[in-house]
Amino acid sequence: MSRNPDWPEGVARHVLASVDSTLTEAARRAPHLAGPAWILAHEQTAARGRRGRAWSMPKGNFAATLVMRPTERPEQVALRSFVAALALDDAFAAASGRPQSFALKWPNDVLLNGGKVAGILLESAGQGGAVSHLAIGIGINLVAAPGADQVEPGALRPVSLLSETGAMVTPEEFLDLLAPAYAAREAQFRTYGFEPIRTAWLARAARLGERIVARTTSESHEGTFETVDAAGNLVLNTAQGRRAIPAAEVFF
């Protein structure tokens, strides 16, 4: 447990020098959980991002996974990507004192001065329509950002918290901000459902009301980013009409 007085009650805190991936470690620990647990690693030897991509992790950057055993239906469980994004936004504001510098990019990135500073990856396991465990993996460029050659063409430039704001924060210090922020947003989600989370997320959304491109594995949609609906889908107003997109890569 953390000695931080603000650390959420009943949430475990594991800090590891090195691990293959905090998401993989979360899956290993999940069957034995007494309650939610944060797993932070100072080094990952096999980190991964969305769609199985490698995730670059220079020394001093943040890699942690929150693992829990939720009770809701899978489609509700998946909405925690928005809960996590808001908690990250809260923690960044506390760490930097610059809340206006951050924005949230659908479905699961945090932007700082228009560049990508953090990413979220959800992984879950279960059967028969139930989720046995959920792991929320979070990677943050605290002190260093990968080079442009390490991201796909058209992707946003990676930035670091240090280079953009001058805030020098260690991974453990950031976890002590993020864990209470997540606990507060989680309590809101459990008590009031997705609607207040959706409203708060949209208030921080990048490029809301502007033209964006959403690419799925099979097609590309261009249109005005209208909203995120009650199921977490991206809603675009396109030349072919209004479209709700459940999963895609977004390009500006």
Side-chain angles (χ1 to χ4, degrees):
M1 283 290 179
S2 170
R3 284 170 290 188
N4 174 12
D6 298 323
W7 187 266
E9 191 175 348
V11 178
R13 182 182 191 269
H14 305 287
V15 178
L16 310 174
S18 181
V19 75
D20 47 0
S21 157
T22 59
L23 281 162
T24 304
E25 180 67 11
R28 286 191 287 261
R29 292 181 184 241
H32 316 293
L33 286 180
W38 280 98
I39 301 164
L40 173 77
H42 288 288
E43 178 189 56
Q44 291 187 112
T45 57
R48 59 187 182 274
R50 292 189 74 214
R51 303 184 187 226
R53 298 189 190 107
W55 177 270
S56 172
M57 189 185 163
K59 187 174 176 60
N61 279 359
F62 181 95
T65 292
L66 172 63
V67 58
M68 63 175 75
R69 295 166 82 167
T71 56
E72 305 94 347
R73 294 182 56 80
E75 60 270 22
Q76 279 291 110
V77 171
L79 295 173
R80 282 186 172 84
S81 62
F82 295 92
V83 180
L86 284 172
L88 264 174
D89 188 71
D90 295 337
F92 277 128
S96 69
R98 302 186 187 186
Q100 302 309 316
S101 298
F102 297 88
L104 304 179
K105 177 176 177 275
W106 188 92
N108 54 11
D109 292 338
V110 181
L111 309 185
L112 169 54
N113 297 334
K116 179 175 173 175
V117 70
I120 301 163
L121 181 62
L122 266 61
E123 291 187 353
S124 60
Q127 56 187 10
V131 175
S132 62
H133 84 265
L134 171 70
I136 304 172
I138 294 173
I140 305 170
N141 301 327
L142 284 181
V143 299
D149 59 327
Q150 293 179 266
V151 297
E152 63 187 300
L156 291 175
R157 68 187 174 97
V159 298
S160 76
L161 182 68
L162 178 61
S163 67
E164 296 292 316
T165 71
M168 183 71 187
V169 184
T170 70
E172 291 185 51
E173 287 169 343
F174 196 89
L175 182 60
D176 280 342
L177 295 173
L178 179 58
Y182 184 87
R185 293 290 184 179
E186 171 73 17
Q188 184 184 35
F189 179 63
R190 287 187 182 225
T191 305
Y192 302 107
F194 183 52
E195 190 53 33
I197 295 292
R198 186 180 81 92
T199 300
W201 190 95
L202 284 167
R204 295 159 174 77
R207 306 295 177 97
L208 188 65
E210 297 182 28
R211 290 190 76 76
I212 62 173
V213 176
R215 293 181 193 150
T216 68
T217 50
S218 58
E219 53 189 348
S220 184
H221 305 281
E222 183 174 347
T224 302
F225 177 14
E226 201 171 282
T227 191
V228 167
D229 68 16
N233 299 318
L234 176 73
V235 179
L236 288 186
N237 194 347
T238 75
Q240 292 76 40
R242 207 163 178 258
R243 301 199 65 136
I245 301 166
E249 297 275 358
V250 167
F251 297 87
F252 297 155

